[in-house]
Amino acid sequence: MEFPQWLQGGPFLEVGFLLDIKENKRKTIQNIIELLSKIRYTVETVDKNIEEIIDSFDRGYPYDEEDPQTDYIHSLNLRLYVYLTRKRKGTLQIEKVSSNSIMVNFLFEGSIFEASGWEQIGIKNDEINDFTSFLIELYSVYDFIIGGCAIENDVLELFECGETYPNECYCFENVSPDYFLKEPSYFINIIWNEKYKELSYVPYNHKRLVRKGIIIEISEE
């Protein structure tokens, strides 16, 4: 399915997380979108045909139309405005990455430069903390397993996998702090939910959040 071009250029700053599918995938998606209204930051949806977009996600489309055993892709994009310190264009990307996991990803212009022709604002030095605050706010609304903030990297990079999704290696049980705390990472920060596994040692600056969350500052900048 093709979506209207919204963000252009790049690089993109990605703020995202991984959820387990507690109900059927349609109800899970509906709940993700409905909870946008609970976020402390204003999130304005540009696309108005939400039910049509959800229907398309629910149906999916074959990865390989010639292969009767092919996986089906379940994916959607929603155009947004997110009001952080400044009003920013964003894209909400939702992907079913395994039989029991969904990736939710907010994409923003990640350059320091303004792209006025595309109505995209850059990120000033003192604005990077906006995205950390946004990630923490998302954790307060969505009970996710792991989340992160990075340039041109999504949370699937925190798996010891490297396969194209959907793939069962991206089942939520397979994400391991033993991997993502030891391997070099391009992430600015990561939130881990200790309900899944308590961390005995964290080799980075970190602090505790509500609901057994821990935010880990990966970037040294």
Side-chain angles (χ1 to χ4, degrees):
M1 180 176 182
E2 293 186 359
F3 295 91
Q5 189 69 29
W6 181 240
L7 291 179
Q8 302 187 52
F12 298 122
L13 189 147
E14 306 186 31
V15 181
F17 54 87
L18 190 77
L19 281 175
D20 58 325
I21 303 174
K22 293 184 172 66
E23 303 174 284
N24 65 57
K25 60 182 180 296
R26 183 184 184 87
K27 287 184 178 179
T28 299
I29 297 303
Q30 288 174 326
N31 187 55
I32 291 168
I33 294 173
E34 288 170 2
L35 285 175
L36 292 175
S37 64
K38 304 295 184 182
I39 297 172
R40 178 168 55 91
Y41 299 98
T42 298
V43 178
E44 178 185 323
T45 303
V46 175
D47 293 297
K48 303 305 178 187
N49 57 332
I50 304 297
E51 284 304 315
E52 180 184 332
I53 292 172
I54 292 174
D55 286 342
S56 178
F57 178 95
D58 196 30
R59 290 192 305 271
Y61 62 90
Y63 181 79
D64 182 354
E65 293 184 352
E66 304 298 322
D67 181 2
Q69 303 299 318
T70 190
D71 289 317
Y72 266 67
I73 307 298
H74 299 276
S75 172
L76 68 78
N77 287 298
L78 281 179
R79 297 175 299 167
L80 308 169
Y81 283 112
V82 180
Y83 292 73
L84 302 177
T85 299
R86 294 191 287 167
K87 177 182 178 182
R88 295 183 177 276
K89 274 186 172 183
T91 296
L92 172 58
Q93 174 191 32
I94 304 177
E95 307 276 354
K96 184 172 181 284
V97 296
S98 75
S99 61
N100 69 0
S101 299
I102 280 181
M103 178 177 67
V104 180
N105 213 24
F106 293 83
L107 284 82
F108 302 94
E109 170 60 45
S111 172
I112 62 173
F113 302 106
E114 307 288 320
S116 56
W118 294 331
E119 298 181 345
Q120 293 175 187
I121 61 174
I123 301 175
K124 298 177 181 178
N125 288 338
D126 60 351
E127 289 181 321
I128 196 68
N129 288 333
D130 287 357
F131 301 96
T132 298
S133 297
F134 184 57
L135 178 63
I136 293 171
E137 178 65 15
L138 291 172
Y139 184 73
S140 75
V141 174
Y142 298 93
D143 188 22
F144 59 73
I145 300 155
I146 188 169
C149 178
I151 298 288
E152 293 286 326
N153 280 276
D154 58 47
V155 292
L156 299 189
E157 297 295 327
L158 300 174
F159 282 80
E160 192 174 4
C161 179
E163 300 293 330
T164 302
Y165 61 83
N167 192 295
E168 291 305 277
C169 71
Y170 294 118
C171 287
F172 71 85
E173 302 96 329
N174 293 331
V175 63
S176 171
D178 294 335
Y179 173 73
F180 67 73
L181 289 177
K182 291 178 181 177
E183 291 298 309
S185 172
Y186 295 103
F187 278 75
I188 298 166
N189 45 54
I190 294 168
I191 290 180
W192 173 251
N193 188 335
E194 287 197 298
K195 286 189 297 185
Y196 294 89
K197 182 178 181 179
E198 291 194 0
L199 305 182
S200 58
Y201 173 69
V202 180
Y204 302 98
N205 291 332
H206 59 280
K207 65 178 181 180
R208 304 288 170 175
L209 304 174
V210 297
R211 298 191 309 188
K212 300 202 71 174
I214 179 169
I215 184 162
I216 305 163
E217 298 177 11
I218 303 297
S219 174
E220 296 180 355
E221 297 182 2

